[in-house]
Amino acid sequence: MGKRVLLIEDEPNIIEAISFILSRDGWTVHTHEDGTSAMGKVLAMPPDMIILDVMLPGRSGFDILRDLRATDVTKDIPVMMLTARGQEKDRELAQRLGANHFMTKPFSNTEVRDYVRNFMQA
Amino acid sequence: MHRKSVNLVNRFSCRCRKPLKLLGEFGLVAQRLAGSRIREKRLDQGLRQAAVAETVGISPSYLNLIEHNRRRIGGKLLSDIARALGVEPVLLVDGADAVMLDQMRSAASQIGSDLAAKVEITRAEEMAARYPGWGALIVAQSERITALGQQVQALSDRMSHDPQLAGSLHELISAVSAIRSASSILVGPEKLDADWQRRFHENIHSDSLRLATSSEAMIAYLEAPDTQLDQTAPIDQVERYLSQTDFHLAVLEDADADPRDFAEQSGLKDGAQALLESVAARYVRDALSLPLAAFQESCEAYQYDPAALANVFHVPFSSVLRRLASLPKGQGHPPFGLAICDAAGVLTMSKSVPGFSLPRAGGACPLWPLYAAISRPSQPVRLEVALPGSKASRLLCYAIADAQQTQRFDVPPSVQSTMLVMPDPPETKVPALPVGVSCRICPRADCTSRREPAMVGVHT
């Protein structure tokens, strides 16, 4: 079984597209659509990497990232933030909270796939 | 003090009533005498009267008569004196509109430092005097730029904080992202089985429908009439509205006038409408305590003396100041400017008259009686002030700061300062207090109240 990527995103068609391209590249992709229960999902089965949307129902991706970095079990999991908000202040906030990468929508499939591939193989 | 004040206003009235009728409201400020300008220019440059007289070949006593406007001047002598003072003759004859000059300097102070360094600030007065049309254009463009800047800021704030717009944008970008991702998969080099192809086609179709719907909704939202609001600050909208009638609101002179109806019918929206309603409510209270006909009659009888009028009508001094500033235009009353600020010195109302205009942004000169009054609440201030420059305006100011009635315990009073401004009072032996418009455009190098240096070239 390949390394596990958890995609926390609420747009069904984006979930399907990213899941497809990463699965085809050999990763095991788990998905979750709700911000409120996202930490529970991570703790139940810590993944090797998280792709985290910022605007989620219930709770923002920034809040989830803050919790991830404050929790022993999850503090070292690589996180790539994915958001429609590409403003510099959001990028800075993500970096300050400990995101490993920040990607804005609309993203390129190749960019997502290559980043995950390179990060996991590093 | 009261009698002295009345006497002064008597003299002011006697001397000014006729010119007012002859020249109109703006005539007092426009009519400046060449002799006074020669004297001011000479003093600005630190030249002795005897030295200038010798240069142009006249006696010092004759130059003295010219400087005190007791001798007409023109032709070659005017040119010679202008040359001796290093100014254009037109500056001595016509002078420059002081308000326009200040506005031109403000315009220069608002541009970047690189460009500002290239602007001939020292020749602003010459520019304003020789080419008043171009000066007005510079001022109008500067005001337009400021208004557009405010509009851009408002729209930027809206883009950042309007939840409906943010939601619509998020929806659009999400749909575009999904379409881009699915279509990339479909056109990629890897072979897809028929099921996946069908699924991504369906996804693209559903996202394209979503994109169309959200685009239409967004366009409808952006084009809705209520999004085309005036983006200037509410207070600016209210002042612009009031200035249409020179701050006189005839419909509110009626004892039954309803401030809310008035504000609703003004065409202003939201914050500006609410602000206008509070201004209208205050106007109605002033009109009730100072009925227009009786007040106008008393204004004539008491020579527009605010203290005398307050005593006659038994009303607060500040009510009289506001009422004088809202007298109807075209009925022979002298022009009055008005400024109202809160305890923090923020202008909450400003009515400009020729020779008087306070900046709302960037901070006004702190020496105005409007601000001095805040430090001594309930004590009326009467002070003559002089603006800098060869086209100096002298203004007689009446100010008072008073606490607004709160009728509640343990609540700090809301202090408000009100200042009435009468342009061009008669000369007195008491020296006028030197004030400015704002530090950036003020040439008074030795001012102890200076907050920031003047822009390069303002000092003469």
Side-chain angles (χ1 to χ4, degrees):
Chain A
M1 189 170 107
K3 287 191 175 181
R4 291 191 307 272
V5 175
L6 174 61
L7 172 61
I8 306 175
E9 163 68 63
D10 63 328
E11 286 291 333
N13 292 355
I14 291 179
I15 291 172
E16 190 155 73
I18 293 180
S19 299
F20 178 83
I21 56 174
L22 291 182
S23 301
R24 199 168 55 181
D25 210 38
W27 314 112
T28 302
V29 182
H30 298 275
T31 63
H32 191 75
E33 298 183 22
D34 175 56
T36 315
S37 53
M39 269 307 284
K41 174 80 175 180
V42 177
L43 289 170
M45 192 172 64
D48 296 295
M49 183 176 200
I50 297 172
I51 298 175
L52 178 59
D53 188 23
V54 169
M55 292 183 76
L56 290 164
R59 199 154 183 246
S60 94
F62 290 130
D63 290 337
I64 296 167
L65 178 60
R66 193 178 285 111
D67 281 359
L68 287 169
R69 293 300 178 240
T71 306
D72 278 345
V73 185
T74 59
K75 67 181 180 188
D76 295 322
I77 298 176
V79 174
M80 179 173 85
M81 299 296 288
L82 194 62
T83 179
R85 301 169 66 181
Q87 290 181 341
E88 190 56 31
K89 62 182 179 182
D90 290 330
R91 196 178 289 270
E92 286 172 6
L93 179 59
Q95 196 171 12
R96 203 162 56 243
L97 293 175
N100 299 80
H101 194 59
F102 188 91
M103 196 172 287
T104 53
K105 296 175 183 174
F107 52 84
S108 123
N109 290 351
T110 312
E111 202 181 351
V112 174
R113 186 200 64 200
D114 288 352
Y115 180 78
V116 174
R117 187 186 287 175
N118 293 337
F119 200 91
M120 294 291 212
Q121 289 170 352
Chain B
M1 181 181 164
H2 169 66
R3 180 174 293 173
K4 193 176 172 185
S5 164
V6 171
N7 287 340
L8 180 68
V9 178
N10 274 335
R11 279 189 283 135
F12 165 73
S13 173
C14 293
R15 290 179 54 172
C16 293
R17 191 67 56 81
K18 207 162 202 174
L20 266 174
K21 285 179 178 168
L22 289 174
L23 298 169
E25 292 181 357
F26 299 100
L28 285 173
V29 175
Q31 188 192 44
R32 286 287 182 179
L33 300 171
S36 301
R37 278 185 224 110
I38 290 171
R39 182 177 175 80
E40 286 159 353
K41 278 287 172 196
R42 180 178 63 74
L43 292 174
D44 280 349
Q45 297 177 30
L47 296 172
R48 289 175 53 245
Q49 204 172 45
V52 174
E54 187 181 347
T55 304
V56 300
I58 59 174
S59 68
S61 58
Y62 189 68
L63 179 56
N64 192 50
L65 289 172
I66 291 172
E67 287 190 355
H68 286 88
N69 304 305
R70 292 179 186 162
R71 291 291 180 276
R72 287 180 178 277
I73 182 173
K76 182 175 181 304
L77 181 55
L78 179 70
S79 302
D80 289 347
I81 292 176
R83 195 176 307 113
L85 297 174
V87 299
E88 293 283 331
V90 68
L91 262 186
L92 300 179
V93 178
D94 296 332
D97 184 291
V99 173
M100 183 197 285
L101 196 55
D102 285 338
Q103 289 172 331
M104 284 172 63
R105 287 170 172 159
S106 289
S109 74
Q110 286 164 16
I111 59 174
S113 55
D114 287 348
L115 187 54
K118 294 176 185 167
V119 177
E120 297 91 343
I121 302 296
T122 51
R123 302 188 68 180
E125 192 174 358
E126 183 186 340
M127 169 82 178
R130 294 189 64 169
Y131 307 109
W134 282 104
L137 178 66
I138 290 170
V139 171
Q141 288 193 327
S142 176
E143 287 172 350
R144 173 98 177 120
I145 290 168
T146 302
L148 288 173
Q150 288 172 343
Q151 199 165 353
V152 168
Q153 186 59 50
L155 289 170
S156 173
D157 288 347
R158 187 173 172 187
M159 290 288 283
S160 305
H161 304 300
D162 185 326
Q164 187 167 344
L165 198 54
S168 297
L169 276 172
H170 182 257
E171 183 75 5
L172 281 176
I173 293 173
S174 295
V176 169
S177 301
I179 289 171
R180 179 181 180 184
S181 196
S183 57
S184 294
I185 293 168
L186 287 171
V187 300
E190 294 92 348
K191 194 173 179 184
L192 283 180
D193 65 40
D195 280 349
W196 276 111
Q197 280 191 31
R198 186 180 44 78
R199 283 178 70 168
F200 284 123
H201 277 131
E202 284 174 0
N203 286 356
I204 289 174
H205 178 64
S206 65
D207 281 322
S208 67
L209 291 176
R210 183 160 66 122
L211 186 60
T213 307
S214 24
S215 301
E216 283 171 7
M218 192 166 177
I219 289 167
Y221 176 66
L222 290 173
E223 288 185 344
D226 64 347
T227 64
Q228 304 297 318
L229 293 176
D230 190 341
Q231 298 291 343
T232 54
I235 191 164
D236 291 327
Q237 295 177 48
V238 170
E239 281 181 8
R240 198 164 59 205
Y241 180 83
L242 295 173
S243 64
Q244 292 171 6
T245 54
D246 206 35
F247 283 59
H248 177 72
L249 305 171
V251 76
L252 296 182
E253 298 293 341
D254 188 332
D256 296 328
D258 184 344
R260 176 166 292 183
D261 288 348
F262 173 77
E264 284 175 356
Q265 289 164 15
S266 67
L268 298 179
K269 303 282 181 189
D270 304 328
Q273 188 184 106
L275 191 57
L276 181 63
E277 186 181 331
S278 70
V279 170
R282 187 173 64 193
Y283 190 104
V284 168
R285 288 196 297 274
D286 288 344
L288 279 173
S289 57
L290 296 163
L292 185 60
F295 185 66
Q296 292 194 104
E297 210 168 285
S298 296
C299 283
E300 294 281 333
Y302 292 92
Q303 312 296 336
Y304 300 94
D305 176 25
L309 291 166
N311 286 328
V312 167
F313 286 92
H314 305 291
V315 297
F317 194 68
S318 54
S319 299
V320 174
L321 301 186
R322 290 191 297 269
R323 199 71 174 130
L324 283 169
S326 60
L327 283 170
K329 199 175 180 180
Q331 297 192 17
H333 302 296
F336 290 105
L338 184 76
I340 301 175
C341 75
D342 62 18
V346 175
L347 279 180
T348 56
M349 184 62 61
S350 176
K351 179 192 175 193
S352 299
V353 286
F356 170 71
S357 176
L358 286 181
R360 192 180 309 287
C365 170
L367 296 172
W368 285 94
L370 175 72
Y371 306 118
I374 296 175
S375 63
R376 34 182 165 160
S378 303
Q379 192 177 336
V381 179
R382 178 185 173 284
L383 201 62
E384 188 181 322
V385 301
L387 286 158
S390 59
K391 184 71 179 177
S393 301
R394 286 184 311 105
L395 305 156
L396 183 58
C397 302
Y398 294 93
I400 189 166
D402 42 21
Q404 307 304 295
Q405 289 185 341
T406 54
Q407 310 284 13
R408 289 163 64 189
F409 291 110
D410 305 322
V411 174
S414 167
V415 176
Q416 179 175 277
S417 183
T418 306
M419 178 174 76
L420 182 79
V421 176
M422 304 167 71
D424 246 20
E427 292 205 29
T428 63
K429 289 180 181 173
V430 181
L433 175 74
V435 299
V437 176
S438 71
C439 292
R440 284 287 284 162
I441 59 170
C442 182
R444 301 189 197 283
D446 58 348
C447 177
T448 54
S449 296
R450 180 172 287 286
R451 275 191 300 258
E452 57 178 332
M455 57 192 295
V456 176
V458 168
H459 293 286
T460 53

